Amino acid sequence: MPSPKDMKLQIAYTMLTNPMFEGMFASMWGEDQVPKRPDSLVDESIAEFVKRRSGGNKKPVENIISAVLHGIYAGDVNQLSARSLMSELWAWEGEYGSLTQGMVRSRRARGGGPPQPPQPYADGAVSQELGERANNASIYTFQNGGMQAFPDALERVIREQKNAVIKTETRVSGIARSEDGKSIQIKTSNKQPAQSYSHVLSTLPAHQLAPLVDIPALALIPYVTVMTVSLYFTNPDLVPTPGFGYLIPQSVPFSQNPEFALGVVFDSHATPDIDAGTGTKLTVMLGGHYWDGRSEKELPTPEEGQKMAERVLERHLGIKEKPDVVRARLHKKCIPQYTVGHHQRLQSVDAAIKRQFGRRLSVGGAWVDGVGVNDCIRSGVFQGMTLEKGYTGLELALDGKEELKAKLPYGLVA
Ligand SMILES: Cc1cc2nc3c(=O)[nH]c(=O)nc-3n(C[C@H](O)[C@H](O)[C@H](O)COP(=O)(O)OP(=O)(O)OC[C@H]3O[C@@H](n4cnc5c(N)ncnc54)[C@H](O)[C@@H]3O)c2cc1C
């Protein structure tokens, strides 16, 4: 794969000669000759969308796109929604009839040049320096404690507020509007009487929120299960080609990937400054959509996961050494899948929230407008900063760009 550090000519050469990119340029060339979708088509899978726009060429989907979707969603290119996950391209086809035309015209509308990065908060919420660093970063990590540093910092700030209470080890077991409609009653697992709140911001996963409210569309949002196996080797020289890692496309046959690996991250190379340790650190991701429909018993144990990961590393990278430390963890129902029809499901949830909760409940989290940590934070910030407006939180995914711009609080961009 080309690296951003390569010279432009080198990148072009790799893209023209590497079998991974086979058929990509040919399909881009004729894209604007492909007829526009019929008005009756309200969504389709990413595989169908890209194949259709590529004049039937399957290679880009099977090789590049399915691999990228494994890395982000652990999802199936044949099921994920083009309308929800390629919303800009989907809109371009609808508006201009082709993606090539859409790209040219939107570039022209911007006055040429690449899209401008969002401006950092100017009100001091985020420093200028941090904002600029974030704009220019393709990856960020947390030193001292990893991702846990983030909730820890949030907890510290919230506990300093006199009007805030954090209840740990307490599950929400019911959410209902009061009879007079002026508050929301929250029941919790600690057997205390239900408490009343003027507004409730939920960031629960859709499948966890579904049994607490009477909104059937929530239960229709599928989730995948992923096992991550992190391996540490004292030998620092095990990765043959340093880089971020690799993702495994759906075109790789079962015989070469019987463990259903989705990809491998070279942590010691991708994030070398995260701690002072030397050696090789790798994370193997297994399962995702390949495990759809499996019962609990059919999912691997951590011990089985470790063996599977070691087999993947030996087959793909030739690593025969035994790791010095291994942590295998099964993340059940951990990534929401924006499958075909996701947009309509969100519309249905949006209407039900307005009807049942009179704009006192809003929702956020990975199933709303992107599964990345950034997306979840943005969704939560939107909920918090628009509390008084009575939005459902789903405006982020459902509103058109201009409509949304008018609703976004200062600092968030459409
Ligand atoms: C293996 C893996 C790797 C990933 N890698 C990346 C990455 O590199 N970069 C990136 O940006 N994103 C990554 N993601 C995605 C990202 O981590 C998640 O999408 C995001 O953290 C989800 O945040 P959330 O707040 O929506 O949900 P969660 O983090 O799942 O939070 C939901 C919370 O709700 C709580 N809860 C559930 N039910 C109840 C209840 N009834 N009452 C009270 N509380 C309840 C849960 O305990 C949980 O704390 C990855 C995800 C996975 C699974």
Side-chain angles (χ1 to χ4, degrees):
M1 289 287 281
S3 139
K5 287 183 193 145
D6 291 344
M7 306 291 285
K8 280 184 183 156
L9 264 178
Q10 214 175 334
I11 293 177
Y13 178 78
T14 310
M15 292 185 76
L16 284 169
T17 54
N18 192 312
M20 188 85 182
F21 298 99
E22 189 187 336
M24 225 168 90
F25 291 100
S27 42
M28 277 160 70
W29 192 250
E31 193 274 330
D32 65 346
Q33 303 302 318
V34 176
K36 181 183 162 183
R37 66 173 178 260
D39 290 343
S40 57
L41 187 63
V42 292
D43 198 358
E44 68 185 329
S45 74
I46 291 179
E48 285 162 346
F49 175 64
V50 176
K51 264 186 263 173
R52 190 169 54 74
R53 294 305 320 164
S54 316
N57 187 348
K58 290 193 284 192
K59 294 287 177 192
V61 167
E62 288 176 351
N63 292 337
I64 300 273
I65 299 175
S66 68
V68 172
L69 296 177
H70 276 172
I72 305 173
Y73 304 98
D76 179 0
V77 68
N78 298 299
Q79 294 186 44
L80 292 171
S81 155
R83 179 173 184 172
S84 290
L85 298 180
M86 294 185 150
S87 52
E88 188 159 32
L89 304 189
W90 182 263
W92 281 348
E93 186 190 25
E95 201 169 332
Y96 306 113
S98 97
L99 313 188
T100 324
Q101 279 299 319
M103 203 178 343
V104 172
R105 297 221 207 159
S106 65
R107 198 182 160 93
R108 214 177 281 153
R110 280 198 310 268
Q116 287 304 303
Q119 291 305 306
Y121 287 120
D123 61 0
V126 171
S127 74
Q128 181 79 14
E129 193 230 336
L130 179 60
E132 276 168 16
R133 276 171 59 197
N135 278 342
N136 295 325
S138 59
I139 178 173
Y140 64 81
T141 54
F142 293 85
Q143 279 177 328
N144 307 324
M147 283 299 293
Q148 186 60 34
F150 183 59
D152 284 350
L154 272 180
E155 180 187 358
R156 224 173 22 250
V157 172
I158 292 171
R159 287 205 192 276
E160 281 164 11
Q161 313 303 312
K162 291 202 175 69
N163 57 352
V165 178
I166 296 180
K167 295 185 182 176
T168 55
E169 307 295 322
T170 311
R171 294 187 74 76
V172 173
S173 55
I175 303 177
R177 192 152 74 138
S178 63
E179 271 178 26
D180 64 6
K182 292 189 178 150
S183 64
I184 296 197
Q185 312 274 313
I186 297 284
K187 276 199 217 154
T188 46
S189 57
N190 58 5
K191 307 261 189 298
Q192 297 293 312
Q195 300 266 321
S196 287
Y197 299 92
S198 65
H199 294 85
V200 170
L201 315 186
S202 161
T203 58
L204 303 189
H207 65 90
Q208 304 272 14
L209 182 59
L212 308 181
V213 290
D214 182 19
I215 303 180
L218 282 168
L220 300 177
I221 298 173
Y223 276 70
V224 291
T225 292
V226 174
M227 180 172 267
T228 49
V229 187
S230 301
L231 306 99
Y232 171 76
F233 305 81
T234 40
N235 182 347
D237 301 315
L238 288 176
V239 169
T241 314
F244 186 83
Y246 64 97
L247 296 167
I248 303 171
Q250 275 173 245
S251 56
V252 171
F254 177 75
S255 58
Q256 286 174 35
N257 187 20
E259 298 81 13
F260 295 125
L262 302 161
V264 179
V265 182
F266 303 164
D267 300 298
S268 40
H269 294 77
T271 53
D273 304 323
I274 195 84
D275 58 35
T278 54
T280 304
K281 281 190 271 178
L282 305 171
T283 298
V284 181
M285 295 172 291
L286 304 165
H289 70 95
Y290 289 122
W291 290 346
D292 282 353
R294 283 198 184 189
S295 66
E296 293 262 326
K297 277 193 295 192
E298 290 166 323
L299 295 168
T301 62
E303 293 72 29
E304 287 164 345
Q306 173 177 346
K307 286 190 190 129
M308 288 157 75
E310 288 175 12
R311 283 201 300 270
V312 169
L313 296 180
E314 179 168 357
R315 186 178 318 109
H316 295 167
L317 302 177
I319 297 177
K320 293 196 169 78
E321 277 182 39
K322 282 279 164 203
D324 296 272
V325 183
V326 182
R327 295 270 181 281
R329 191 148 176 219
L330 191 65
H331 307 266
K332 287 185 200 155
K333 294 180 115 184
C334 60
I335 306 183
Q337 300 294 292
Y338 295 26
T339 52
V340 175
H342 187 74
H343 190 86
Q344 289 89 331
R345 285 189 278 280
L346 293 191
Q347 283 175 325
S348 174
V349 175
D350 186 64
I353 292 178
K354 286 174 182 156
R355 206 170 45 241
Q356 295 179 28
F357 292 94
R359 298 175 181 265
R360 292 183 179 277
L361 173 70
S362 76
V363 288
W367 56 278
V368 169
D369 189 38
V371 302
V373 170
N374 287 359
D375 303 311
C376 299
I377 293 172
R378 182 168 182 269
S379 153
V381 169
F382 179 70
Q383 286 179 275
M385 290 179 79
T386 59
L387 181 76
E388 297 297 329
K389 310 262 186 198
Y391 297 151
T392 62
L394 294 165
E395 293 78 6
L396 285 178
L398 297 177
D399 283 7
K401 214 169 178 175
E402 292 309 314
E403 199 184 347
L404 180 61
K405 254 188 203 165
K407 291 182 182 168
L408 285 174
Y410 181 67
L412 289 190
V413 286

